[in-house]
């Protein structure tokens, strides 16, 4: 329940975001602002949540966070508005970090100590199941009443989590003073910096990157804010973020791999669903596909919990990258006749590969935290959540941009290859015009409508070809990651490197 409460509400929003705009009376780019707000607050919330749990305890913190979520959802349901929806997304993003921690703590109570590594894997991967679960919820349950069903589900999950933490309380933990005045300065700079960066990644492809001045101004403001956060933290005696640790070679590679994998995994959430949507399929018609994905991810949780160990990060990441590459390559031969049944294997490979990487990466990162000590926990949690959140937004931005540019390219090429007066073309246009013979009397209007039908068919084909190009890009990204990781294994075996200056200082 804690795992679903942490991710299902955002999953429902993410998988239905393109359908929501018209129903709630906003433009598509405005709905994507909701995704950016959630990601920004979720990525930065852990700056304070870890210390808040130390100083005030887990349960009091969750009472406050869940109370905020409940209040925001009640307000949104009672007085629907876009502004209150933004507030609800921000509160959900903050609370999600705490609910993920509760998932882990409850598993620690249920699973024996000797199986603690498996508990860590399960605790961090269970929330990932929220997206395929969200795909299985019928639109009729959430769409009516300006998508009030979505807010009702999220409210119900928050209330259920509130009840559970009181009915099945966790053991008390030791408390100690943790906050310092400079923490407020760090957070006050990190939140707007992350918000601006997330907005750019979410909205750039709608306004287009090089055509909209405010995108450049937003980046101009975001990067100095985030740079200032790192500079302040690097100079503190007791920092929130161990900045010098980020310069550690292994941690830097870990973060880089995390971003690359998250970008590749947007093939499933953006490209595959976008491809099927071109054929007029609705979310309800994708239920069999995502049922298969859910089964594959559950299998991934089970396998990863058994075999994942920190020292196996690179081999298991290579295996995950190859699975993602194989799935994307299978998808790259799509046609206008492609339906969910043709994607069962490829999308199952992607779902299994995502869990295989995530579980091992979590164990690896936490093993590094244990080596260094508790002060490094905040740094790891922030690093991991930031790479996953920003990687997801960056992946959608990258694949969306590629798909849009390649659609234009293929449409132009297809148009160039069509010579007016060609016999087959004339026959196709006449066939399209005949479709309106019994509806329109004017031959000129029949011809115009026929030409429009043919133009739509050409544009559809251009979109399909563009999605195939996008799948191939993901394939090459995943293969490049596998080659890079293989090279690291070889170099570490035959050419061990000395610790960096930052590592030696740490």
């Amino acid at each position: 329940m804690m795992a679903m409460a942490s991710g299902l509400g955002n999953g429902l929003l993410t998988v239905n975001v393109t359908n929501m705009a018209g129903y709630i009376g906003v433009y598509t780019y405005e709905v994507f602002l909701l995704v950016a707000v959630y990601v920004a607050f979720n990525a930065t919330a852990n700056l304070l949540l870890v210390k808040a749990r130390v100083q005030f305890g887990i349960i009091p913190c969750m009472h406050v966070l869940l109370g905020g979520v409940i209040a925001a959802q009640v307000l949104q349901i009672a007085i629907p508005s876009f502004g209150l929806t933004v507030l609800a997304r921000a509160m959900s993003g903050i609370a999600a970090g705490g609910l993920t921690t509760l998932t882990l703590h409850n598993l620690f109570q249920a699973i024996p100590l000797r199986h603690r590594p498996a508990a860590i894997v399960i605790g961090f991967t269970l929330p990932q199941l929220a997206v395929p679960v969200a795909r299985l919820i019928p639109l009729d349950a959430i769409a009516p009443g300006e998508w009030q069903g979505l807010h009702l589900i999220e409210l119900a999950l928050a209330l259920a989590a509130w009840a559970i933490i009181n009915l099945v309380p966790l053991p008390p933990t030791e408390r100690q003073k943790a906050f310092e005045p400079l923490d407020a300065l760090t957070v006050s700079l990190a939140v707007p910096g992350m918000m601006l960066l997330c907005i750019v990644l979410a909205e750039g492809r709608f306004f287009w990157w090089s055509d909209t001045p405010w995108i450049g101004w937003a980046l101009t403001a975001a990067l100095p804010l985030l740079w200032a956060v790192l500079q302040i933290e690097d100079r503190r005696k007791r920092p929130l973020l161990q900045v010098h640790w980020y310069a550690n070679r292994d941690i830097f590679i870990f973060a880089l791999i995390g971003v690359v994998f998250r970008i590749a995994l947007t093939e499933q959430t953006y490209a595959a669903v976008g491809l099927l949507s071109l054929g007029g399929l609705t979310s309800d018609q994708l239920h069999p596909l995502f049922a298969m994905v859910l089964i594959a991810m559950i299998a991934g949780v089970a396998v990863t919990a058994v075999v994942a160990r920190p020292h196996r990060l690179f081999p298991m990441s290579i295996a995950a990258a190859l699975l993602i590459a194989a799935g994307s390559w299978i998808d790259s031969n799509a046609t206008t006749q492609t339906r969910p049944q043709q994607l069962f294997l490829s999308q199952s490979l992607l779902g299994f590969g995502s869990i295989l990487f995530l579980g091992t990466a979590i164990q690896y990162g936490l093993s590094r935290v244990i080596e260094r000590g508790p002060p490094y926990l905040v740094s790891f949690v922030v690093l991991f959540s930031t790479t996953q959140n920003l990687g997801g937004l960056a992946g959608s931005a990258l694949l969306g941009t590629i798909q849009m540019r390649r659609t234009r390219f293929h449409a132009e090429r297809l148009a160039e290859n069509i010579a007016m007066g060609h016999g087959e073309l004339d026959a196709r246009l006449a066939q399209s015009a005949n479709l309106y013979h019994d509806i329109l009397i004017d031959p000129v209007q029949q011809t115009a409508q026929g030409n429009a039908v043919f133009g739509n068919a050409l544009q559809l084909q251009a979109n399909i070809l563009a999605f195939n190009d996008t799948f191939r890009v993901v394939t090459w990204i995943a293969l490049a990651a596998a080659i890079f990781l293989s090279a690291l294994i070889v170099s570490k075996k035959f050419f061990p490197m000395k610790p960096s200056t930052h590592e030696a200082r740490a």
Side-chain angles (χ1 to χ4, degrees), residues 292-495:
M292 294 296 295
V293 172
L294 180 61
I295 293 171
M297 293 179 74
I298 292 173
V301 172
V303 171
T304 307
V306 173
V307 303
R309 294 296 180 268
H311 64 277
R312 296 174 182 167
L313 172 66
F314 287 176
M316 292 188 68
S317 295
I318 292 172
L322 293 176
L323 289 173
I324 294 169
S328 300
W329 183 255
I330 292 171
D331 288 345
S332 66
N333 296 307
T335 68
T336 54
Q337 303 302 313
T338 297
R339 291 297 179 265
Q341 291 77 6
Q342 281 85 55
L343 303 185
F344 280 178
L345 175 60
S346 61
Q347 295 306 303
S348 295
L349 291 174
L350 282 161
F352 188 92
S354 67
I355 298 297
L356 194 65
F357 165 73
L358 183 64
T360 314
I362 284 291
Q363 281 200 355
Y364 175 83
L366 289 178
S367 71
R368 294 293 181 173
V369 171
I370 292 171
E371 290 176 2
R372 301 287 185 171
Y376 288 79
L377 180 59
V378 178
S379 300
F380 167 71
V381 172
V382 170
L383 176 67
F384 187 77
S385 63
T386 300
T387 57
Q388 294 303 293
N389 283 302
L390 286 184
L393 278 181
S396 296
L398 174 64
L399 299 189
T401 300
I402 292 172
Q403 198 273 332
M404 292 173 70
R405 291 186 68 89
R406 296 299 293 177
T407 297
R408 180 179 298 180
F409 170 79
H410 286 298
E412 292 173 353
R413 290 294 299 272
L414 289 171
E416 289 173 1
N417 291 331
I418 294 175
M420 295 303 295
H422 193 281
E424 292 183 3
L425 175 61
D426 291 342
R428 176 65 184 270
L429 291 175
Q431 183 181 12
S432 299
N434 286 335
L435 295 174
Y436 296 91
H437 184 270
D438 296 332
I439 303 174
L440 300 174
I441 299 176
D442 188 351
V444 175
Q445 291 184 353
Q446 293 177 13
T447 301
Q449 290 295 327
N451 290 342
V453 170
F454 184 77
N456 289 337
L458 185 146
Q459 188 66 25
L460 174 62
Q461 189 63 45
N463 270 289
I464 296 291
L465 293 172
F467 271 116
N468 286 341
D469 291 342
T470 305
F471 293 134
R472 294 187 186 100
V473 168
V474 174
T475 300
W476 288 114
I477 289 174
L479 287 176
I483 293 170
F484 175 71
L485 291 169
S486 300
L488 283 178
I489 292 176
V490 173
S491 65
K492 283 192 172 186
K493 183 176 181 180
F494 294 103
F495 306 102

